[in-house]
Amino acid sequence: MSIPILKFDAVIVGAGGAGLRSAIQLSEAGLKTAVLSKVFPTRSHTVAAQGGVAASLGNSEEDHWHWHMYDTVKGSDWLGDQDAIEFMCKKANEVVVELEHYGMPFDRTDNGKIYQRPFGGHMSNFGEKPVRRSCAAADRTGHAMLHAMYQRNVKANTQFFVEWMALDLIRDSEGHVLGVTAMEMETGQIVIFHARATIFATGGAGRIYYSSTNAFINTGDGLGMAARAGIPLEDMEFWQFHPTGVAGAGVLITEGVRGEGGILRNSSKERFMERYAPNAKDLASRDVVSRAMATEIKEGRGCGVNKDYVLLDVTHLDPATIMKRLPGIREIGIQFAGVDCIKEPLPVVPTCHYQMGGIPTHYSGRVVMPQGGDMSAVVPGFYAGGECACASVHGANRLGTNSLLDLLVFGKSAGDSAVEDLKGGRAHRDLPKDAGDLALERISAIDNRKGGASVAETRLAMQRTMQDHAGVFRFGDMLKQGVTKILEVEKAARQMEIKDKSKVWNTARIEALETENLIEVAKATMISAEARKESRGAHVRDDAPDTAEFPNGRNDAEWLKHTLYFPQDNKIMYKPVNMQPLTVEAIELKTRSY
Amino acid sequence: MLREDFEKLRWRCVRRGLLEVDISLTRFLDEQFEGLTDEEQLAFVELADMEDYDVWHLISGQAECTDPRISSIVAMLRKS
């Protein structure tokens, strides 16, 4: 079967913050650029980012990129690459000011400068005291950012392919990336986008977990495509969790609820935080609260039929206080838990929020992988930025407001690198004869299977396995069982069946394809997490506790290294963390404490 | 509504930027959309076409809509 071919200089998959930022660089350099997106660009998940974007502009008080770098290295629990972190923190002011010039309506100070507010983990003078570093546009920073960058792209003649889903990466026998196969949802037509540069900006894969704050769109399509094309995934054991998402829905309940006096209770109505943090109780830090909740659930003191959540109780508070101080919380309880929190406690569970790992990249945005003796050889023609990529700046734990910075800096950097690489006149390489076969075979298999589990059942089995076995607090025995279980889920997914066989607007088929991508990410996460026998940042194991020899359970002698998961044989390799910044002294290892 | 039109609408409800909107619109579509009049269905399509924060602020009662057709859909959504 012959597949239509569309030729571009560059094809970008994903039209959230990173994709739009890359596209600006390419289109403004005069390159013919296509951007593929499952949804209209301003409906990408970047829209959910409210906190702001970090940059040491120093508009409100003294600040410096070096202090921001220190905070980011410390936040990452020293797993972030210090060259990439220096690059990002140094570039922050530039990308924020550019965004301002694109028309981004940042909040202002009285004298007209960009207003900056404090945010957790951002400090002045190498960890001394909090600093105002976050630049925001009210509570719609991500939304405003998408609108400003989309308009800039329209002006630059970027060609958008909206409601198209990329299916698979095309690589030739020498490993060069030559574009993607993609499907137009409206017609079911499959097309090859033949490109000289291919940039992935597909976001995270938070939907691998049963409880996730991520919108349904975050299905890790870029990671699935990379994995099927033989590219390893880096540091996939590191996922940031928020302690209180509504059980079963994932919608976030702000920490302000506990700040106003909300109490966490188990199935016996016990205020269990008194046992874990006798002084701070329910106001202990995020990780302490999350671990306590996970322990209560694991030890059978969870609530509900499956004993898989705990309760957040505000029934003892004055209803007027709830309505005044916590607007929207009552509505969230009613809409997503069927509970009026004035009368009954809210069911909550630690909830997946952000993916620190991803497709391994250099800070230039070029995708890298081991080849011969080189642990970080460039994959020619392939670039990535944003949450789908691992530069690695977040290491084992991301600092708030560094996610929007990541997508701006590395989106731009991937675009710049592609422009630079194409300047030399790199021609379109010939497509391999079997280009497109993998995508066609996958679609044909999904359409023709009979008797397997449904997409919804398969996805639920994966999400439950991930939540139970590789959640916020990890147990050695559960991780081992989790590896067996997730491989069984993968096997069952090969039989996944859809009832709707229509060609046009077949959302069941699209969801089946997304689920295949999620399962690649789920496997990578479980296997990488089982293998890392220490606690670091967001990866916290019961069998790697805080001791005098290993503070916080971190074991630098053995585990100061990046995980690389190879999907073809489920094997793991490790590569060193880059401890050498570009121009300054290395930030030496220390115990991470705040 | 034709199958293709319904599936397109479904995609535009189930893949939003905000999780709150994903859940609210998809649940309403699956449970109540079929029982709406043609005019109500059209009003729902208009609501689904709005920006994520605008939809969520209507559903969560943080904003009000001046169009009575959309307001009545929002009232149904809040009860669903």
Side-chain angles (χ1 to χ4, degrees):
Chain A
M1 180 179 166
S2 86
I3 305 177
I5 298 169
L6 295 176
K7 263 189 173 179
F8 286 88
D9 291 315
V11 60
I12 298 171
V13 184
L20 290 178
R21 190 64 194 81
S22 275
I24 291 171
Q25 295 311 105
L26 289 151
S27 293
E28 290 189 347
L31 295 168
K32 191 182 168 196
T33 304
V35 177
L36 275 57
S37 178
K38 293 195 289 187
V39 296
F40 192 76
T42 52
R43 283 192 189 164
S44 306
H45 189 52
T46 303
V47 83
Q50 296 186 333
V53 50
S56 56
L57 295 168
N59 286 352
S60 304
E61 57 190 317
E62 191 186 359
D63 200 1
H64 197 283
W65 65 261
H66 200 183
W67 300 345
H68 183 190
M69 177 185 171
Y70 175 86
D71 297 338
T72 305
V73 171
K74 179 180 171 185
S76 80
D77 217 352
W78 275 265
L79 193 73
D81 286 330
Q82 296 196 15
D83 55 344
I85 294 174
E86 177 178 337
F87 180 83
M88 179 179 80
C89 296
K90 255 185 176 166
K91 282 269 183 189
N93 293 6
E94 174 188 314
V95 293
V96 165
V97 170
E98 277 168 355
L99 205 54
E100 187 182 28
H101 294 166
Y102 297 164
M104 169 95 173
F106 281 114
D107 296 341
R108 301 278 163 188
T109 62
D110 289 341
N111 61 8
K113 290 181 174 174
I114 293 174
Y115 172 79
Q116 297 188 276
R117 57 188 180 198
F119 215 93
H122 289 278
M123 315 284 274
S124 67
N125 203 20
F126 306 101
E128 203 173 273
K129 60 176 188 185
V131 70
R132 283 172 275 178
R133 189 177 285 152
S134 168
C135 313
D139 61 352
R140 294 194 184 194
T141 309
H143 169 94
M145 200 179 259
L146 287 175
H147 276 266
M149 292 201 287
Y150 177 66
Q151 290 306 328
R152 185 82 183 191
N153 270 292
V154 169
K155 198 172 152 202
N157 291 323
T158 301
Q159 292 187 47
F160 285 94
F161 292 79
V162 174
E163 292 172 341
W164 281 68
M165 182 178 180
L167 302 174
D168 273 300
L169 201 58
I170 300 171
R171 291 181 82 189
D172 66 14
S173 56
E174 291 171 53
H176 288 244
V177 170
L178 311 179
V180 291
T181 42
M183 180 172 65
E184 185 183 25
M185 297 179 189
E186 190 170 2
T187 60
Q189 173 83 59
I190 293 171
V191 171
I192 287 175
F193 284 79
H194 187 190
R196 298 197 289 150
T198 302
I199 298 171
F200 274 11
T202 56
R207 300 308 306 179
I208 63 170
Y209 284 96
Y210 180 68
S211 192
S212 173
T213 67
N214 285 199
F216 293 163
I217 199 167
N218 282 17
T219 56
D221 299 335
L223 282 79
M225 286 187 275
R228 282 191 295 278
I231 288 162
L233 302 178
E234 180 172 341
D235 292 340
M236 291 305 297
E237 61 270 45
F238 298 101
W239 291 83
Q240 196 164 57
F241 280 70
H242 191 287
T244 53
V246 173
V251 174
L252 264 190
I253 302 280
T254 163
E255 279 161 320
V257 172
R258 280 174 289 129
E260 290 297 333
I263 292 172
L264 289 162
R265 299 189 190 280
N266 60 19
S267 55
S268 332
K269 308 282 184 284
E270 182 206 4
R271 184 180 191 178
F272 59 83
M273 283 310 300
E274 286 179 331
R275 277 188 279 118
Y276 296 90
N279 294 321
K281 297 177 186 163
D282 301 276
L283 295 177
S285 62
R286 271 187 190 186
D287 54 336
V288 172
V289 173
S290 294
R291 276 203 296 277
M293 292 167 73
T295 305
E296 290 299 297
I297 291 168
K298 180 174 187 266
E299 293 180 356
R301 294 187 292 277
C303 306
V305 181
N306 297 320
K307 294 181 172 290
D308 56 357
Y309 59 82
V310 297
L311 297 169
L312 179 57
D313 189 1
V314 292
T315 56
H316 54 290
L317 301 181
D318 177 5
T321 305
I322 297 175
M323 301 301 283
K324 188 178 160 202
R325 299 263 177 83
L326 304 166
I329 290 302
R330 189 179 181 205
E331 202 60 39
I332 284 176
I334 292 168
Q335 288 293 323
F336 303 114
V339 161
D340 181 350
C341 65
I342 287 173
K343 296 174 189 157
E344 289 174 77
L346 293 160
V348 291
V349 70
T351 297
C352 166
H353 189 53
Y354 188 85
Q355 166 195 310
M356 265 77 72
I359 300 167
T361 58
H362 179 256
Y363 63 79
S364 64
R366 296 179 178 94
V367 175
V368 292
M369 66 181 285
Q371 248 169 349
D374 185 355
M375 288 303 287
S376 295
V378 169
V379 179
F382 194 25
Y383 312 80
E387 195 172 339
C388 76
C390 182
S392 135
V393 286
H394 309 304
N397 181 55
R398 175 186 63 95
L399 227 50
T401 69
N402 267 354
S403 49
L404 288 183
L405 181 60
D406 170 340
L407 59 82
L408 288 174
V409 169
F410 296 109
K412 180 179 180 186
S413 158
D416 279 340
S417 298
V419 170
E420 188 185 318
D421 294 347
L422 297 190
K423 253 188 198 158
R426 186 166 77 195
H428 280 89
R429 291 172 70 91
D430 290 340
L431 287 167
K433 282 197 178 121
D434 61 355
D437 284 3
L438 176 59
L440 290 175
E441 283 162 19
R442 287 173 58 225
I443 287 186
S444 163
I446 289 169
D447 283 350
N448 293 317
R449 275 185 215 127
K450 286 197 176 98
S454 70
V455 175
E457 288 163 344
T458 308
R459 194 176 286 202
L460 184 63
M462 169 196 66
Q463 290 171 333
R464 283 282 190 195
T465 303
M466 296 309 294
Q467 192 81 26
D468 294 345
H469 293 266
V472 66
F473 189 29
R474 295 163 177 182
F475 304 87
D477 56 337
M478 295 293 278
L479 285 164
K480 271 205 168 70
Q481 291 166 20
V483 170
T484 309
K485 280 193 179 177
I486 202 68
L487 294 175
E488 283 167 10
V489 170
E490 183 200 22
K491 204 171 159 194
R494 290 199 205 108
Q495 302 306 318
M496 195 164 48
E497 183 191 355
I498 58 170
K499 303 285 180 205
D500 185 353
K501 312 289 184 190
S502 323
K503 194 169 178 222
V504 303
W505 276 115
N506 188 334
T507 55
R509 183 192 291 139
I510 297 162
E511 287 175 348
L513 291 162
E514 287 178 332
T515 301
E516 291 184 345
N517 292 329
L518 282 168
I519 286 174
E520 293 289 354
V521 180
K523 266 196 313 171
T525 298
M526 189 70 82
I527 292 169
S528 304
E530 196 281 325
R532 183 176 285 271
K533 303 288 193 287
E534 65 158 357
S535 295
R536 183 183 297 268
H539 173 70
V540 183
R541 291 178 65 122
D542 175 56
D543 51 7
D546 183 22
T547 61
E549 190 183 2
F550 301 116
N552 298 331
R554 197 179 89 192
N555 178 351
D556 292 322
E558 279 188 61
W559 290 104
L560 183 65
K561 53 191 179 186
H562 294 294
T563 306
L564 287 176
Y565 161 79
F566 290 78
Q568 274 61 34
D569 47 9
N570 296 326
K571 288 279 170 7
I572 298 273
M573 274 177 80
Y574 293 96
K575 71 172 179 180
V577 174
N578 189 320
M579 299 290 284
Q580 186 52 60
L582 300 170
T583 63
V584 292
E585 295 283 306
I587 293 168
E588 297 299 331
L589 288 163
K590 271 206 291 195
T591 301
R592 179 167 159 264
S593 66
Y594 289 99
Chain B
M1 188 176 261
L2 292 171
R3 178 202 159 273
E4 286 85 357
D5 292 336
F6 179 79
E7 287 295 305
K8 187 199 292 186
L9 175 62
R10 186 169 187 282
W11 183 252
R12 290 177 185 180
C13 290
V14 82
R15 292 293 178 274
R16 308 290 298 209
L18 293 180
L19 176 64
E20 289 87 339
V21 180
D22 278 340
I23 298 173
S24 304
L25 293 187
T26 306
R27 186 167 58 194
F28 185 80
L29 191 71
D30 289 343
E31 292 171 6
Q32 296 199 46
F33 184 79
E34 212 180 297
L36 301 181
T37 65
D38 288 353
E39 199 184 339
E40 286 170 334
Q41 288 191 350
L42 208 61
F44 177 79
V45 173
E46 280 180 45
L47 175 72
D49 211 31
M50 292 164 67
E51 298 267 9
D52 277 83
Y53 280 107
D54 295 333
V55 176
W56 173 238
H57 286 164
L58 288 174
I59 296 172
S60 62
Q62 295 172 65
E64 282 182 22
C65 180
T66 49
D67 184 335
R69 296 171 316 118
I70 294 185
S71 297
S72 89
I73 295 293
V74 170
M76 285 188 243
L77 253 161
R78 294 187 67 178
K79 281 185 200 147
S80 68

